Amino acid sequence: MNTMVSMCSQTNLEGTLLTREQVEEISTRISQKVYENVTKQLEAAISSASSNNQ
């Protein structure tokens, strides 16, 4: 799901900002996804390199 947040100087943002806990949760989820994707890419690259060296 893609979500776009637009912040304009005219927009009243009072009460709509994320809490520290929400930011930390989102950050943790993003970090986990990035870790999983990098791990998959590294495993594929290592597997490919091993296959090519044999």
Side-chain angles (χ1 to χ4, degrees):
M1 175 187 338
N2 293 329
T3 303
M4 181 181 289
V5 178
S6 176
M7 292 185 167
C8 301
S9 58
Q10 294 84 13
T11 304
N12 180 4
L13 294 176
E14 186 176 334
T16 63
L17 298 178
L18 297 172
T19 65
R20 181 176 304 210
E21 292 79 13
Q22 289 170 318
V23 171
E24 289 175 3
E25 181 180 340
I26 292 167
S27 177
T28 300
R29 288 182 188 180
I30 292 170
S31 296
Q32 184 63 34
K33 272 294 193 193
V34 169
Y35 172 80
E36 290 170 2
N37 288 335
V38 169
T39 300
K40 286 179 189 176
Q41 291 175 18
L42 284 173
E43 289 172 348
I46 291 169
S47 176
S48 177
S50 295
S51 297
N52 291 338
N53 289 333
Q54 293 179 3

